[in-house]
Amino acid sequence: MIKATALSKSFRRQGSRKDRVQAVSDVSFEAGNGQITGLLGPNGAGKSTTLRILATLIQPDNGSAEIDGFDVTEAPQAVRRQIGFLPHNSGLYPRLTARENIAYYAELCGLDARQSRMKTGELIERLSMRGFADRRAEGFSQGQRTKVALGRALIHEPSTLILDEPTNGLDVMATRQLRSILRQLRDEGHCILLSSHIMQEVSMLCDHVAIISDGRVALADSIDGIRERTGQADLEDAFVVAIGGRLEATE
Amino acid sequence: MNPIWTIFKKEVRDNVRDKRSLFFAVLYGPVLMPLLMIGPLLLGMHRNSIDFEEPKTIAVVGVERAAHLMQFLKANNLDAQEAPDDFQQEIEAGRIDAVLEIPTVFDDRFRAAQPADVLIHYDESDEDSRKLKRQLTAILDRYDRTLRQLRFQARGIDPRIFEPLNVVENDLSGEGLEVPFIAYIVPFLLLYSMMMGGFYLAVDTTAGERERQSLEPLLSLPMSRISPVLGKYAAVFFFVILSMVLPLITSYALFSFLPADLLGSGIDFGPHTFLVAFVLGVPLALLITAFLLTVAAFARNTKEAQTHLSLAMMVPLVPFFLLQFMNVPTQTVTLLIPIISQFKIMEMAVASQAIPVTHFLLTTAGSVLAAVILLGATIGLYQRERILL
């Protein structure tokens, strides 16, 4: 369960002392357990910044966010126990094998050698990684990398999964496989939050959507709710209307 | 399992698989550097030194003309053998190093107490020939002196009359005993080797991890942010200490090939000196590790880290060059300064001076303090979100 309220964050512009860029100015939304929530928005809208705040990697300037009732700034350690984070680029260690990459995180989360071996083995089966589990990550395809990173994020059985553009660079089959894994996790009661700029992706996978543009959440509702509130049957049109664009201009 | 231990294990395993890291940690510093730096030095000493103890043969023309001289040569480990007739060509061809010629008139002149000629045939352009000639000259000199004294005594004259002056040198420099350049070579070698050994690991575990974007998920794990820094520190330290101990063993082996008297009296390159080098090296390794890790951690990417480190690596080498032409006294203050203190104490060890325990305590305190300050800066950096930007 994620609850973000009026989050804002600005960064210093590269190479300048005073000049600041407002990455996120007003982000509020909720993501429930047993649901897949999509953070939908164009590039540079503030999706990654929002996810990094939720993953306790950076702190908001204003506003607050809670995960399972724990505040991201006040109780970051408790939040970290609740979340599994899959960053934009899967961030694997190229000289370690898939199994070693996952086992490393298992041990860091406090599992002993036996538990770590068992859990890692389970995840390798579950995410169908057996074919490449003992190969070094160096030459992995994007799909294989995403699977390993997902396995790593799931190793400590977090209630909440935060995924930054997980389908980026995946081919059709890998995307379908990932979707089915995420649906399974949802059905087990996990709270899943993912970011995407691909409309089709979000409409196929998500139960709930928060549309983000220029650092603000313009609209947050179920897919049907968004269609209803914007008066558009097509989600893409609904998106354009929601972020304040004009349909004729974009056609 | 303790996350620091887990991170240490992972970083070591990861970097043992990186051939570049491994090459610098176990081959470059430990083997190549000692061979390149100490090898030529020792070889040069070896070539210029003459072993007067080793029995050699010397080709002589007219062995029978000077029986007493031949005995004297033999007593000085030079065994006379009759030279071949074509000895001049043999010397030119390098088959004989030098020939001592006793002319036919030698015995007559010798008995008449006239200066009796002896000739040394040798090849100035050939090193072995030059060495044998030097050895021969030295022995003939001694023979000459002995005979002179005997002749004076036989005529009832005190030979000391011919020595108007007896110059006695009294060196009062005390502590400032002139220790040759060679005293600095081992600490310099260790310093350089440690930096090269930890270089790639420091870059890979900090800036490299940021560049691969594996730091973000790592820091989103439920563990203290001090753990990754300490785990990485331990891994780099492991490589650094390896690059200190291995070249220490290699240089000890190289120095043990050297005859003891070659370095001059009072110069000690025995086990004691190398033990001192090890004791000094451990706190220095702690500092070098913190130094490498901090410089690399503050860089944004691996390229920047490598550039910064290459430049920063000159800093620890500055004291070495300063000590070459500056007279730094050994006091409490200088002993607290890392690197300078290690070089000064090594100088004492090589000069076979007793080293007070306080010297060790001061140098350790100075280096450990500097290491803690640097490590603290890196831990601070990992608490800030700047590390992820």
Side-chain angles (χ1 to χ4, degrees):
Chain A
M1 172 78 186
I2 301 172
K3 193 175 171 204
T5 316
L7 291 175
S8 75
K9 179 75 183 174
S10 66
F11 295 110
R12 206 165 59 200
R13 199 185 288 279
Q14 200 104 69
S16 129
R17 289 202 156 263
K18 283 187 196 152
D19 220 5
R20 294 187 81 85
V21 188
Q22 193 72 33
V24 166
S25 52
D26 179 17
V27 167
S28 305
F29 69 92
E30 277 184 32
N33 291 341
Q35 273 193 334
I36 299 178
T37 305
L39 202 54
L40 178 66
N43 292 328
K47 298 188 299 289
S48 284
T49 304
T50 305
L51 296 190
R52 288 165 105 193
I53 292 173
L54 294 174
T56 75
L57 293 169
I58 54 178
Q59 296 206 339
D61 298 335
N62 279 303
S64 66
E66 277 178 11
I67 291 176
D68 293 335
F70 299 109
D71 190 280
V72 291
T73 40
E74 273 150 33
Q77 286 295 353
V79 170
R80 286 174 198 155
R81 263 189 289 276
Q82 304 301 317
I83 59 165
F85 178 58
L86 191 125
H88 188 65
N89 176 314
S90 41
L92 301 181
Y93 298 102
R95 289 187 296 265
L96 298 189
T97 66
R99 194 185 296 277
E100 286 165 347
N101 264 293
I102 300 174
Y104 179 44
Y105 271 41
E107 288 187 22
L108 286 178
C109 289
L111 272 62
D112 65 30
R114 201 182 57 87
Q115 287 171 313
S116 149
R117 227 183 355 259
M118 227 172 63
K119 279 293 299 176
T120 306
E122 267 172 41
L123 281 164
I124 285 170
E125 288 302 317
R126 171 155 196 198
L127 301 175
S128 342
M129 293 192 280
R130 209 175 336 153
F132 57 89
D134 295 302
R135 267 176 32 212
R136 291 195 193 172
E138 242 146 1
F140 282 4
S141 70
Q142 191 58 42
Q144 291 169 327
R145 295 170 64 86
T146 306
K147 275 186 181 177
V148 180
L150 187 61
R152 220 168 52 167
L154 287 170
I155 193 76
H156 58 300
E157 301 181 341
S159 64
T160 304
L161 264 182
I162 298 173
L163 317 155
D164 197 356
E165 312 230 0
T167 55
N168 228 5
L170 298 192
D171 59 35
V172 180
M173 291 317 286
T175 307
R176 289 174 71 95
Q177 220 179 0
L178 180 68
R179 272 191 217 132
S180 98
I181 293 167
L182 291 181
R183 284 195 191 105
Q184 265 179 43
L185 290 166
R186 170 195 63 191
D187 295 341
E188 286 166 19
H190 287 276
C191 166
I192 297 168
L193 174 67
L194 58 89
S195 70
S196 178
H197 60 272
I198 305 160
M199 208 73 50
Q200 200 193 7
E201 191 56 54
V202 170
S203 68
M204 285 188 78
L205 192 58
C206 299
D207 310 300
H208 193 89
V209 180
I211 294 174
I212 184 168
S213 165
D214 278 337
R216 280 166 217 284
V217 168
L219 196 56
D221 209 334
S222 65
I223 303 253
D224 289 336
I226 285 176
R227 287 204 182 101
E228 217 168 277
R229 280 164 70 173
T230 54
Q232 302 293 330
D234 184 60
L235 190 67
E236 193 170 307
D237 289 343
F239 173 75
V240 175
V241 170
I243 64 171
R246 285 168 56 208
L247 286 177
E248 299 79 26
T250 54
E251 280 301 317
Chain B
M1 214 169 286
N2 190 324
I4 298 172
W5 173 240
T6 304
I7 292 166
F8 166 78
K9 272 192 314 184
K10 178 259 161 192
E11 296 294 5
V12 168
R13 175 195 281 172
D14 197 349
N15 277 281
V16 161
R17 288 181 187 172
D18 182 10
K19 295 198 175 62
R20 206 168 35 173
S21 295
L22 204 61
F23 168 76
F24 279 101
V26 304
L27 263 179
Y28 185 80
V31 181
L32 289 180
M33 291 256 307
L35 285 178
L36 286 175
M37 280 176 69
I38 302 179
L41 200 82
L42 296 187
L43 212 63
M45 286 179 123
H46 235 298
R47 291 174 72 138
N48 286 321
S49 73
I50 298 167
D51 189 356
F52 283 88
E53 306 295 311
E54 188 197 336
K56 290 189 202 93
T57 57
I58 174 82
V60 179
V61 177
V63 175
E64 73 292 340
R65 290 171 203 147
H68 186 253
L69 176 57
M70 293 309 120
Q71 265 171 29
F72 190 82
L73 287 179
K74 196 174 170 67
N76 284 284
N77 298 310
L78 278 187
D79 219 349
Q81 265 186 359
E82 193 60 49
D85 292 337
D86 60 344
F87 67 85
Q88 306 234 3
Q89 283 99 310
E90 294 285 295
I91 292 175
E92 277 167 31
R95 283 189 288 269
I96 297 180
D97 288 332
V99 168
L100 178 67
E101 186 183 346
I102 315 286
T104 41
V105 294
F106 177 86
D107 201 40
D108 294 340
R109 294 185 65 93
F110 193 84
R111 281 174 197 284
Q114 297 281 320
D117 293 344
V118 288
L119 278 82
I120 300 174
H121 302 271
Y122 76 107
D123 180 358
E124 179 66 33
S125 67
D126 181 83
E127 196 169 326
D128 289 333
S129 180
R130 252 188 347 249
K131 265 168 72 174
L132 187 59
K133 175 230 161 191
R134 266 169 54 210
Q135 183 171 2
L136 204 51
T137 315
I139 296 171
L140 289 175
D141 249 11
R142 225 176 295 161
Y143 185 67
D144 192 43
R145 235 176 303 133
T146 319
L147 273 182
R148 201 181 318 157
Q149 291 198 350
L150 287 171
R151 282 182 180 175
F152 281 133
Q153 277 165 358
R155 286 161 180 78
I157 303 167
D158 186 348
R160 282 178 300 181
I161 291 173
F162 295 90
E163 287 166 23
L165 286 185
N166 182 26
V167 181
V168 179
E169 293 176 4
N170 180 17
D171 182 5
L172 293 173
S173 58
E175 197 205 308
L177 178 74
E178 194 63 46
V179 175
F181 171 79
I182 200 167
Y184 290 145
I185 208 158
V186 171
F188 178 79
L189 178 78
L190 296 187
L191 187 65
Y192 197 75
S193 171
M194 283 194 271
M195 285 194 290
M196 291 312 292
F199 186 100
Y200 281 103
L201 205 71
V203 171
D204 185 76
T205 57
T206 55
E209 172 133 62
R210 276 170 83 171
E211 198 170 81
R212 281 193 301 267
Q213 290 172 301
S214 50
L215 187 63
E216 280 194 25
L218 185 72
L219 292 184
S220 72
L221 291 178
M223 64 169 168
S224 154
R225 285 195 175 183
I226 297 174
S227 303
V229 182
L230 293 183
K232 288 163 193 292
Y233 179 85
V236 179
F237 180 72
F238 177 73
F239 270 61
V240 169
I241 205 94
L242 208 63
S243 327
M244 194 260 297
V245 174
L246 294 180
L248 206 58
I249 296 169
T250 320
S251 347
Y252 176 65
L254 281 173
F255 271 105
S256 62
F257 280 123
L258 210 60
D261 57 332
L262 210 60
L263 289 163
S265 62
I267 303 293
D268 179 7
F269 269 103
H272 174 257
T273 297
F274 283 91
L275 187 70
V276 170
F278 173 76
V279 173
L280 294 173
V282 174
L284 195 57
L286 288 168
L287 174 58
I288 296 289
T289 306
F291 178 75
L292 295 173
L293 200 70
T294 306
V295 174
F298 276 87
R300 274 190 298 265
N301 50 50
T302 48
K303 212 168 193 166
E304 195 178 283
Q306 283 175 2
T307 315
H308 287 184
L309 261 187
S310 308
L311 291 172
M313 267 173 63
M314 297 201 196
V315 175
L317 299 181
V318 166
F320 169 73
F321 294 109
L322 276 184
L323 285 169
Q324 297 296 310
F325 52 83
M326 256 175 67
N327 194 10
V328 181
T330 311
Q331 301 164 339
T332 307
V333 184
T334 48
L335 282 172
L336 279 169
I337 302 172
I339 299 166
I340 290 203
S341 65
Q342 277 94 1
F343 275 93
K344 291 303 280 186
I345 296 175
M346 266 309 278
E347 199 180 296
M348 292 174 76
V350 170
S352 329
Q353 294 174 22
I355 303 161
V357 180
T358 47
H359 279 30
F360 285 109
L361 293 179
L362 283 171
T363 178
T364 304
S367 300
V368 170
L369 183 70
V372 167
I373 291 171
L374 287 170
L375 191 60
T378 306
I379 289 175
L381 176 69
Y382 272 74
Q383 307 298 314
R384 306 216 312 265
E385 56 189 48
R386 204 197 111 179
I387 187 75
L388 291 170
L389 301 180

